[in-house]
Amino acid sequence: MPLKFALAGNPNSGKTTLFNELTGSTAHVGNWPGVTIDRREGRYKGAGEEIDIVDLPGIYSLSPYTPEELIARNFIIEEKPDLIINIVDVTNLERNLYLTTQLLETDCPIIVALNMSDQLEKRKSYIDRAGLEMALGVPVVGISALRSRGTDELMKRAISTARKKRSGHTVLWHTQLDDAITKAYTHLLETGASHPLFKAVKIIEGDIHVAADDEMKRLRDDLKKEFDDLEATVADLRYKYITKHFSRCLKTTQNQNELSFSEKADKILTHKFLGIPIFLLFMYLIFHLTFGENLFSIEGVPSPGKLMQGGAEYLIDQLANIVSGLLESAGASDWTYGLLVDGIIGGVGAVLSFVPQIMLVFFFLSVLEDSGYIARAAFIMDRLLRRFGLSGRSFMPLLMGFGCSVPSILATRTLESDRDRRLTMILIPYMSCGAKMPIYALFAAALFKQHSDFMVFGMYVLGITTAVTSGIILKKFVFKDSVIPFIMELPDYHRPRLRNLLLHIWEKLKGYIIKAGTIILISTVVIWFLANFDITLKMVEQNSADSILGKIGNAIKFIFVPLGFVGKTDGWKSVVAILTGIIAKEAVVSTLGVLYTSAAQADIAGDTFIATIAATFTPVSALSFMAFNLLSIPCVAALSALTSEMKSTKWTLFSIAFWVTMAWIVSFLIYTIGSLLI
Ligand code: GDP
Ligand code: MG
């Protein structure tokens, strides 16, 4: 029988690279945690031996939270490899050794492969290998899987290590848990369990996947009275041990007192108290520059965004004038005129006129992202969210939600448990996506004038606040689950590259234009028809309540009446706009564009549409309307992504019900409280 070795390590520590190097196979080398979820086996032929090598999934710990963790620990416990090659990414030594402390608790022979040593050299650092070997009690070899360095020595020492018996060791000896571990360990030894120390520690951590008899359960219950969070206590003890005994083996020849630029910047930008205000300030600044009426409140100096919006609006008005002029001279029918000018130009144009402004927001966000700041924002928010019992791992998908919900929902696949995944998916639409921005831009232009920047900023904050509140509620009543420790890497800051920025903006712009030319155009035409014909398909007076849409809107508007934005005369229009928002959020604006532009008004040059909106809504009812669109059901694209990712009709329906209820309550509160104040 050939020997069997398992490669274990954190995601992205280089397992697959080493696996390919050792086995010569061409397994895919990816960059995403979870790529190696399939079991991959290969054979190493060298040093006069044939060895089966298994590439385990990337894991941060041996707790049983994720499928990856379960696969890895079951393999180690049940398939009894002859040796574990524990790959450690030396550039993240402490985090990687956290897993090592758990692997050491098994009885399996272990060798530690310090990978990425080439990176370490670049940082003018090195590892005191002998010192680390002493501290860990297992062999340590420095390698670079990518540059094929040190792998021969690794395998030579691995083979001799595999032939020696080893029994588990834990860094938790001589801590306040010593007694408890001793009790559990001796008990498991007596019952003849395999890997008794590993199991003893797991039982104490509260791991339900390890069989515990009555005696063990009693021990654990006693401990629970003494420590309110055993798991956190254990994690903390591990990290303390690592920093005390292992970290000092990482030496650097760089001047310790000399902080790098990133470190200096992070002292302020990720400061415990200043971090969040600075983040909010950045966000406010972005909205000020794009939606603000006057630049820094200077009279007569418009903000860049306002200028761009004015320009776009002017161009679209010109286009409408040219087209209507042409149609008139060609003697076109009312019908054609209505469809082209009121329908298509009114609807699609309403969305397009806000696109330059929205591109500006994305430009600023890309600058923050490319410079490395967004990763800090995630870090700061994680610190905050954790206080509320939310998992920080959700933050990346949530952050992506500010762009578009669809990729964010797919990104939840990197999350740990199904519960976390579902919770995050429900919260994602609350991160105001790019498609919702035209709605704010419209009301900013129509109603909020001097306070536009603050209003848009407020909508984003409202979304985040609702997400946090919902998270707390759902966590308390629906997804009862403990928070999994989350560790994030912060890249160094660097100057944003213009090429990246332009590429990013171009991608977004392309997305908008394609959407405007397809789904929004089509929905606009459909809306125009439904708003101009009755059920017998007879043309009615433009946008009349007798039209099909008018009938539908009027039938269901009672639901929305308490929210304040259903006007007395043609209240069905805002209701219909909300419904079409499910097709695409931009369609809220294009629908309003169709319904509030009429043939009579089109002749009068200028912003009749925006003026009509200003006359129809009040600032408070507009806020309520925007909040409802922000918080209720996202667009169909997001819904279908959600349905396939939830993999459960029950949860999909729950999400929809939750969104609608939350949106209704929040809008109701905004309208009721707002009306009292103003
Ligand atoms: P896995 O997730 O543990 O399977 O990690 P991978 O093998 O996919 O490696 C993650 C990333 O680290 C890839 O981009 C590799 O090219 C890179 N990598 C792996 N080993 C080394 C190394 O020794 N040095 C450097 N600089 N990069 C490495
Ligand atoms: Mg891999």
Side-chain angles (χ1 to χ4, degrees):
M1 272 266 283
L3 290 170
K4 187 160 60 182
F5 291 2
L7 297 182
N10 284 188
N12 286 318
S13 55
K15 280 185 314 322
T16 307
T17 312
L18 180 64
F19 176 82
N20 291 344
E21 166 72 19
L22 296 177
T23 61
S25 84
T26 47
H28 173 70
V29 181
N31 228 334
W32 291 105
V35 167
T36 47
I37 188 124
D38 314 315
R39 172 169 164 169
R40 213 172 318 187
E41 274 194 78
R43 188 157 279 196
Y44 169 79
K45 293 178 188 144
E49 293 270 351
E50 294 216 338
I51 298 164
D52 282 333
I53 298 194
V54 180
D55 184 16
L56 295 181
I59 45 173
Y60 294 105
S61 127
L62 285 179
S63 36
Y65 294 121
T66 68
E68 286 86 355
E69 285 167 351
L70 272 178
I71 292 172
R73 65 188 251 163
N74 288 345
F75 184 85
I76 293 168
I77 303 291
E78 279 150 28
E79 300 199 28
K80 302 190 180 64
D82 297 289
L83 172 101
I84 299 169
I85 300 180
N86 174 206
I87 306 195
V88 162
D89 168 4
V90 275
T91 63
N92 281 299
L93 189 67
E94 276 138 13
R95 190 193 70 194
N96 278 255
L97 288 177
Y98 182 77
L99 173 66
T100 310
T101 62
Q102 298 181 47
L103 292 170
L104 286 174
E105 284 158 5
T106 69
D107 288 346
C108 203
I110 295 174
I111 186 164
V112 169
L114 297 173
N115 194 28
M116 316 260 179
S117 44
D118 53 312
Q119 290 285 342
L120 209 58
E121 280 161 30
K122 271 198 207 138
R123 299 185 184 186
K124 299 202 185 89
S125 303
Y126 64 97
I127 293 268
D128 168 14
R129 203 183 47 80
L132 189 60
E133 208 161 85
M134 283 272 281
L136 287 170
V138 295
V140 173
V141 181
I143 64 164
S144 169
L146 194 64
R147 315 219 181 286
S148 327
R149 281 201 321 232
T151 47
D152 289 340
E153 195 206 337
L154 172 72
M155 290 311 282
K156 237 185 264 157
R157 289 192 68 185
I159 291 163
S160 66
T161 310
R163 304 211 190 281
K164 290 180 209 131
K165 267 186 99 70
R166 180 181 165 275
S167 48
H169 175 77
T170 178
V171 299
L172 303 170
W173 290 133
H174 312 296
T175 64
Q176 60 261 49
L177 294 173
D178 195 295
D179 279 350
I181 295 174
T182 311
K183 254 185 230 153
Y185 176 54
T186 39
H187 179 78
L188 288 168
L189 259 186
E190 280 163 13
T191 58
S194 64
H195 302 283
L197 183 63
F198 175 76
K199 287 178 183 162
V201 175
K202 288 296 161 210
I203 285 176
I204 283 164
E205 283 179 355
D207 183 334
I208 47 160
H209 289 253
V210 174
D213 55 21
D214 291 340
E215 195 175 333
M216 291 294 100
K217 282 190 187 130
R218 224 173 303 122
L219 174 72
R220 190 164 60 197
D221 292 341
D222 288 345
L223 275 175
K224 274 190 186 149
K225 281 177 212 137
E226 203 177 328
F227 302 91
D228 35 300
D229 188 348
L230 267 171
E231 228 185 320
T233 310
V234 172
D236 199 44
L237 288 172
R238 289 191 199 278
Y239 269 114
K240 282 213 176 98
Y241 192 94
I242 290 168
T243 37
K244 190 158 170 221
H245 299 278
F246 302 152
S247 300
R248 59 165 183 226
C249 298
L250 178 62
K251 316 257 190 205
T252 178
T253 50
Q254 220 163 21
N255 188 347
Q256 283 292 328
N257 299 323
E258 195 184 308
L259 291 181
S260 69
F261 171 77
S262 288
E263 286 168 323
K264 274 187 226 158
D266 274 341
K267 278 212 172 280
I268 302 167
L269 295 178
T270 63
H271 186 272
K272 226 198 270 174
F273 303 117
L274 294 177
I276 289 179
I278 292 175
F279 172 61
L280 293 178
L281 188 74
F282 277 142
M283 296 312 285
Y284 176 72
L285 212 62
I286 292 178
F287 294 126
H288 177 73
L289 290 174
T290 35
F291 296 105
E293 183 92 344
N294 293 319
L295 189 60
F296 304 120
S297 304
I298 306 168
E299 223 24 78
V301 184
S303 70
K306 189 79 197 161
L307 213 61
M308 292 167 97
Q309 189 243 326
E313 212 180 294
Y314 175 78
L315 287 180
I316 288 166
D317 277 347
Q318 291 305 314
L319 180 70
N321 284 342
I322 293 170
V323 174
S324 60
L326 283 177
L327 287 174
E328 244 160 70
S329 61
S333 65
D334 279 359
W335 196 91
T336 332
Y337 186 92
L339 175 62
L340 279 179
V341 178
D342 304 339
I344 295 178
I345 298 181
V348 179
V351 175
L352 286 182
S353 68
F354 297 116
V355 165
Q357 227 174 348
I358 291 162
M359 288 308 119
L360 197 61
V361 177
F362 280 118
F363 172 78
F364 289 127
L365 288 179
S366 311
V367 171
L368 290 187
E369 161 123 52
D370 210 32
S371 66
Y373 179 73
I374 290 291
R376 270 76 185 178
F379 173 77
I380 296 165
M381 296 310 279
D382 168 53
R383 214 163 39 190
L384 180 76
L385 290 186
R386 195 104 49 100
R387 276 182 204 219
F388 298 112
L390 299 180
S391 166
R393 289 186 200 227
S394 321
F395 197 75
M396 268 304 161
L398 285 176
L399 202 68
M400 289 169 64
F402 287 119
C404 175
S405 298
V406 176
S408 329
I409 288 173
L410 299 181
T412 58
R413 284 186 195 168
T414 55
L415 283 173
E416 308 285 290
S417 62
D418 271 352
R419 284 187 256 189
D420 265 350
R421 214 169 290 165
R422 291 192 171 127
L423 173 62
T424 310
M425 280 192 264
I426 295 178
L427 303 185
I428 282 174
Y430 291 158
M431 304 296 119
S432 187
C433 74
K436 290 172 184 164
M437 231 180 279
I439 311 177
Y440 313 147
L442 167 64
F443 287 103
L447 284 161
F448 290 86
K449 309 280 176 222
Q450 297 299 335
H451 308 292
S452 295
D453 47 2
F454 202 72
M455 182 278 284
V456 181
F457 178 62
M459 291 316 293
Y460 276 76
V461 173
L462 176 72
I464 297 171
T465 320
T466 312
V468 173
T469 320
S470 308
I472 295 168
I473 296 173
L474 291 172
K475 203 84 187 179
K476 195 158 167 66
F477 298 108
V478 186
F479 302 98
K480 295 168 196 125
D481 200 2
S482 55
V483 180
I484 301 162
F486 167 64
I487 306 131
M488 194 155 36
E489 286 154 61
L490 296 181
D492 279 351
Y493 288 100
H494 57 77
R495 189 173 314 179
R497 276 156 293 218
L498 190 65
R499 214 183 91 86
N500 281 0
L501 296 181
L502 294 179
L503 219 64
H504 203 119
I505 304 291
W506 171 236
E507 293 273 298
K508 292 275 179 206
L509 186 64
K510 214 166 57 181
Y512 262 102
I513 291 173
I514 291 173
K515 234 171 152 185
T518 52
I519 190 164
I520 296 174
L521 177 66
I522 294 167
S523 69
T524 303
V525 172
V526 172
I527 294 290
W528 183 83
F529 271 103
L530 295 178
N532 285 277
F533 289 84
D534 68 8
I535 303 168
T536 61
L537 295 185
K538 218 173 65 216
M539 196 162 178
V540 291
E541 193 189 325
Q542 192 175 22
N543 299 334
S544 104
D546 295 329
S547 65
I548 300 175
L549 273 191
K551 289 260 192 281
I552 297 175
N554 274 324
I556 59 166
K557 74 175 181 198
F558 70 94
I559 305 172
F560 301 97
V561 168
L563 309 186
F565 51 74
V566 180
K568 290 226 161 41
T569 47
D570 46 11
W572 60 273
K573 292 182 178 175
S574 53
V575 174
V576 167
I578 284 181
L579 292 185
T580 53
I582 300 175
I583 301 169
K585 288 293 159 183
E586 296 94 334
V588 173
V589 172
S590 58
T591 302
L592 290 175
V594 176
L595 298 182
Y596 283 113
T597 317
S598 67
Q601 288 170 319
D603 294 339
I604 316 159
D607 48 1
T608 52
F609 165 50
I610 289 182
T612 320
I613 291 295
T616 310
F617 288 82
T618 65
V620 178
S621 72
L623 283 177
S624 164
F625 181 76
M626 285 186 282
F628 195 88
N629 279 297
L630 164 63
L631 304 175
S632 80
I633 307 174
C635 67
V636 275
L639 267 182
S640 74
L642 180 101
T643 313
S644 66
E645 291 301 309
M646 282 279 183
K647 293 187 197 77
S648 139
T649 319
K650 186 187 106 190
W651 283 111
T652 308
L653 293 177
F654 175 83
S655 313
I656 294 175
F658 185 81
W659 289 323
V660 176
T661 316
M662 241 358 221
W664 199 94
I665 295 173
V666 173
S667 297
F668 178 74
L669 289 178
I670 288 178
Y671 183 67
T672 316
I673 297 172
S675 307
L676 287 177
L677 294 180
I678 295 174

